[in-house]
PDB file of all heavy atoms in Angstrom:
ATOM      1  N   THR A  98       2.998  -8.221  -3.859  1.00  0.00           N
ATOM      2  CA  THR A  98       3.058  -8.149  -2.413  1.00  0.00           C
ATOM      3  C   THR A  98       2.135  -7.030  -1.947  1.00  0.00           C
ATOM      4  O   THR A  98       1.977  -6.021  -2.636  1.00  0.00           O
ATOM      5  CB  THR A  98       4.503  -7.920  -1.921  1.00  0.00           C
ATOM      6  OG1 THR A  98       4.508  -7.858  -0.494  1.00  0.00           O
ATOM      7  CG2 THR A  98       5.112  -6.663  -2.487  1.00  0.00           C
ATOM      8  N   PHE A  99       1.524  -7.241  -0.796  1.00  0.00           N
ATOM      9  CA  PHE A  99       0.639  -6.252  -0.199  1.00  0.00           C
ATOM     10  C   PHE A  99       1.015  -6.151   1.264  1.00  0.00           C
ATOM     11  O   PHE A  99       1.241  -7.167   1.922  1.00  0.00           O
ATOM     12  CB  PHE A  99      -0.821  -6.697  -0.343  1.00  0.00           C
ATOM     13  CG  PHE A  99      -1.819  -5.734   0.242  1.00  0.00           C
ATOM     14  CD1 PHE A  99      -2.268  -4.658  -0.491  1.00  0.00           C
ATOM     15  CD2 PHE A  99      -2.300  -5.907   1.536  1.00  0.00           C
ATOM     16  CE1 PHE A  99      -3.188  -3.764   0.041  1.00  0.00           C
ATOM     17  CE2 PHE A  99      -3.225  -5.029   2.080  1.00  0.00           C
ATOM     18  CZ  PHE A  99      -3.665  -3.948   1.324  1.00  0.00           C
ATOM     19  N   ASP A 100       1.097  -4.930   1.780  1.00  0.00           N
ATOM     20  CA  ASP A 100       1.465  -4.744   3.175  1.00  0.00           C
ATOM     21  C   ASP A 100       0.884  -3.437   3.693  1.00  0.00           C
ATOM     22  O   ASP A 100       0.630  -2.513   2.919  1.00  0.00           O
ATOM     23  CB  ASP A 100       2.989  -4.716   3.319  1.00  0.00           C
ATOM     24  CG  ASP A 100       3.450  -5.018   4.727  1.00  0.00           C
ATOM     25  OD1 ASP A 100       2.636  -5.453   5.565  1.00  0.00           O
ATOM     26  OD2 ASP A 100       4.640  -4.829   5.004  1.00  0.00           O
ATOM     27  N   ILE A 101       0.699  -3.386   4.995  1.00  0.00           N
ATOM     28  CA  ILE A 101       0.298  -2.135   5.637  1.00  0.00           C
ATOM     29  C   ILE A 101       1.573  -1.397   5.997  1.00  0.00           C
ATOM     30  O   ILE A 101       2.458  -1.947   6.652  1.00  0.00           O
ATOM     31  CB  ILE A 101      -0.550  -2.403   6.890  1.00  0.00           C
ATOM     32  CG1 ILE A 101      -1.854  -3.132   6.511  1.00  0.00           C
ATOM     33  CG2 ILE A 101      -0.860  -1.089   7.612  1.00  0.00           C
ATOM     34  CD1 ILE A 101      -2.695  -3.587   7.695  1.00  0.00           C
ATOM     35  N   VAL A 102       1.660  -0.152   5.562  1.00  0.00           N
ATOM     36  CA  VAL A 102       2.859   0.658   5.797  1.00  0.00           C
ATOM     37  C   VAL A 102       2.745   1.438   7.109  1.00  0.00           C
ATOM     38  O   VAL A 102       3.709   1.579   7.837  1.00  0.00           O
ATOM     39  CB  VAL A 102       3.098   1.617   4.609  1.00  0.00           C
ATOM     40  CG1 VAL A 102       4.295   2.499   4.853  1.00  0.00           C
ATOM     41  CG2 VAL A 102       3.259   0.832   3.323  1.00  0.00           C
ATOM     42  N   GLY A 103       1.556   1.973   7.401  1.00  0.00           N
ATOM     43  CA  GLY A 103       1.374   2.725   8.636  1.00  0.00           C
ATOM     44  C   GLY A 103       0.140   3.595   8.593  1.00  0.00           C
ATOM     45  O   GLY A 103      -0.708   3.467   7.712  1.00  0.00           O
ATOM     46  N   VAL A 104       0.059   4.480   9.564  1.00  0.00           N
ATOM     47  CA  VAL A 104      -1.031   5.448   9.663  1.00  0.00           C
ATOM     48  C   VAL A 104      -0.442   6.822   9.376  1.00  0.00           C
ATOM     49  O   VAL A 104       0.633   7.160   9.876  1.00  0.00           O
ATOM     50  CB  VAL A 104      -1.682   5.401  11.064  1.00  0.00           C
ATOM     51  CG1 VAL A 104      -2.725   6.489  11.220  1.00  0.00           C
ATOM     52  CG2 VAL A 104      -2.298   4.027  11.311  1.00  0.00           C
ATOM     53  N   SER A 105      -1.144   7.611   8.573  1.00  0.00           N
ATOM     54  CA  SER A 105      -0.641   8.915   8.169  1.00  0.00           C
ATOM     55  C   SER A 105      -1.764   9.947   8.205  1.00  0.00           C
ATOM     56  O   SER A 105      -2.904   9.634   7.852  1.00  0.00           O
ATOM     57  CB  SER A 105      -0.090   8.826   6.740  1.00  0.00           C
ATOM     58  OG  SER A 105       0.266  10.092   6.251  1.00  0.00           O
ATOM     59  N   PRO A 106      -1.422  11.178   8.577  1.00  0.00           N
ATOM     60  CA  PRO A 106      -2.418  12.244   8.433  1.00  0.00           C
ATOM     61  C   PRO A 106      -2.827  12.369   6.961  1.00  0.00           C
ATOM     62  O   PRO A 106      -1.997  12.229   6.066  1.00  0.00           O
ATOM     63  CB  PRO A 106      -1.687  13.500   8.909  1.00  0.00           C
ATOM     64  CG  PRO A 106      -0.605  12.986   9.803  1.00  0.00           C
ATOM     65  CD  PRO A 106      -0.191  11.665   9.202  1.00  0.00           C
ATOM     66  N   LEU A 107      -4.093  12.618   6.749  1.00  0.00           N
ATOM     67  CA  LEU A 107      -4.651  12.699   5.402  1.00  0.00           C
ATOM     68  C   LEU A 107      -3.861  13.667   4.513  1.00  0.00           C
ATOM     69  O   LEU A 107      -3.485  13.326   3.391  1.00  0.00           O
ATOM     70  CB  LEU A 107      -6.115  13.123   5.477  1.00  0.00           C
ATOM     71  CG  LEU A 107      -6.856  13.325   4.176  1.00  0.00           C
ATOM     72  CD1 LEU A 107      -6.950  12.024   3.401  1.00  0.00           C
ATOM     73  CD2 LEU A 107      -8.231  13.873   4.429  1.00  0.00           C
ATOM     74  N   LEU A 108      -3.593  14.861   5.009  1.00  0.00           N
ATOM     75  CA  LEU A 108      -2.892  15.864   4.193  1.00  0.00           C
ATOM     76  C   LEU A 108      -1.458  15.441   3.874  1.00  0.00           C
ATOM     77  O   LEU A 108      -0.959  15.710   2.779  1.00  0.00           O
ATOM     78  CB  LEU A 108      -2.916  17.225   4.882  1.00  0.00           C
ATOM     79  CG  LEU A 108      -4.294  17.885   4.949  1.00  0.00           C
ATOM     80  CD1 LEU A 108      -4.219  19.191   5.738  1.00  0.00           C
ATOM     81  CD2 LEU A 108      -4.862  18.113   3.562  1.00  0.00           C
ATOM     82  N   GLN A 109      -0.809  14.787   4.802  1.00  0.00           N
ATOM     83  CA  GLN A 109       0.559  14.322   4.556  1.00  0.00           C
ATOM     84  C   GLN A 109       0.564  13.242   3.467  1.00  0.00           C
ATOM     85  O   GLN A 109       1.419  13.247   2.585  1.00  0.00           O
ATOM     86  CB  GLN A 109       1.170  13.781   5.840  1.00  0.00           C
ATOM     87  CG  GLN A 109       2.623  13.390   5.699  1.00  0.00           C
ATOM     88  CD  GLN A 109       3.224  12.959   7.028  1.00  0.00           C
ATOM     89  OE1 GLN A 109       2.641  13.143   8.085  1.00  0.00           O
ATOM     90  NE2 GLN A 109       4.402  12.384   6.957  1.00  0.00           N
ATOM     91  N   PHE A 110      -0.399  12.337   3.513  1.00  0.00           N
ATOM     92  CA  PHE A 110      -0.496  11.302   2.476  1.00  0.00           C
ATOM     93  C   PHE A 110      -0.787  11.929   1.121  1.00  0.00           C
ATOM     94  O   PHE A 110      -0.167  11.583   0.114  1.00  0.00           O
ATOM     95  CB  PHE A 110      -1.569  10.273   2.829  1.00  0.00           C
ATOM     96  CG  PHE A 110      -1.719   9.190   1.795  1.00  0.00           C
ATOM     97  CD1 PHE A 110      -0.765   8.194   1.679  1.00  0.00           C
ATOM     98  CD2 PHE A 110      -2.804   9.181   0.933  1.00  0.00           C
ATOM     99  CE1 PHE A 110      -0.896   7.198   0.725  1.00  0.00           C
ATOM    100  CE2 PHE A 110      -2.945   8.189  -0.021  1.00  0.00           C
ATOM    101  CZ  PHE A 110      -1.995   7.196  -0.127  1.00  0.00           C
ATOM    102  N   PHE A 111      -1.712  12.882   1.085  1.00  0.00           N
ATOM    103  CA  PHE A 111      -2.036  13.574  -0.158  1.00  0.00           C
ATOM    104  C   PHE A 111      -0.792  14.271  -0.717  1.00  0.00           C
ATOM    105  O   PHE A 111      -0.497  14.180  -1.909  1.00  0.00           O
ATOM    106  CB  PHE A 111      -3.157  14.589   0.078  1.00  0.00           C
ATOM    107  CG  PHE A 111      -3.503  15.391  -1.143  1.00  0.00           C
ATOM    108  CD1 PHE A 111      -4.260  14.836  -2.166  1.00  0.00           C
ATOM    109  CD2 PHE A 111      -3.062  16.699  -1.279  1.00  0.00           C
ATOM    110  CE1 PHE A 111      -4.574  15.568  -3.292  1.00  0.00           C
ATOM    111  CE2 PHE A 111      -3.374  17.436  -2.408  1.00  0.00           C
ATOM    112  CZ  PHE A 111      -4.128  16.875  -3.415  1.00  0.00           C
ATOM    113  N   ASN A 112      -0.035  14.941   0.138  1.00  0.00           N
ATOM    114  CA  ASN A 112       1.188  15.618  -0.283  1.00  0.00           C
ATOM    115  C   ASN A 112       2.204  14.612  -0.834  1.00  0.00           C
ATOM    116  O   ASN A 112       2.846  14.862  -1.861  1.00  0.00           O
ATOM    117  CB  ASN A 112       1.778  16.405   0.889  1.00  0.00           C
ATOM    118  CG  ASN A 112       2.949  17.254   0.482  1.00  0.00           C
ATOM    119  OD1 ASN A 112       2.935  17.903  -0.558  1.00  0.00           O
ATOM    120  ND2 ASN A 112       3.983  17.242   1.305  1.00  0.00           N
ATOM    121  N   HIS A 113       2.351  13.484  -0.164  1.00  0.00           N
ATOM    122  CA  HIS A 113       3.264  12.440  -0.645  1.00  0.00           C
ATOM    123  C   HIS A 113       2.857  11.963  -2.033  1.00  0.00           C
ATOM    124  O   HIS A 113       3.704  11.806  -2.919  1.00  0.00           O
ATOM    125  CB  HIS A 113       3.289  11.256   0.328  1.00  0.00           C
ATOM    126  CG  HIS A 113       4.109  10.115  -0.159  1.00  0.00           C
ATOM    127  ND1 HIS A 113       3.571   9.086  -0.908  1.00  0.00           N
ATOM    128  CD2 HIS A 113       5.426   9.841  -0.027  1.00  0.00           C
ATOM    129  CE1 HIS A 113       4.532   8.236  -1.220  1.00  0.00           C
ATOM    130  NE2 HIS A 113       5.663   8.669  -0.688  1.00  0.00           N
TER     131      HIS A 113
END
Side-chain angles (χ1 to χ4, degrees):
T98 180
F99 180 85
D100 200 11
I101 298 173
V102 178
V104 175
S105 173
L107 177 64
L108 291 176
Q109 185 176 348
F110 180 74
F111 177 77
N112 187 43
H113 175 269

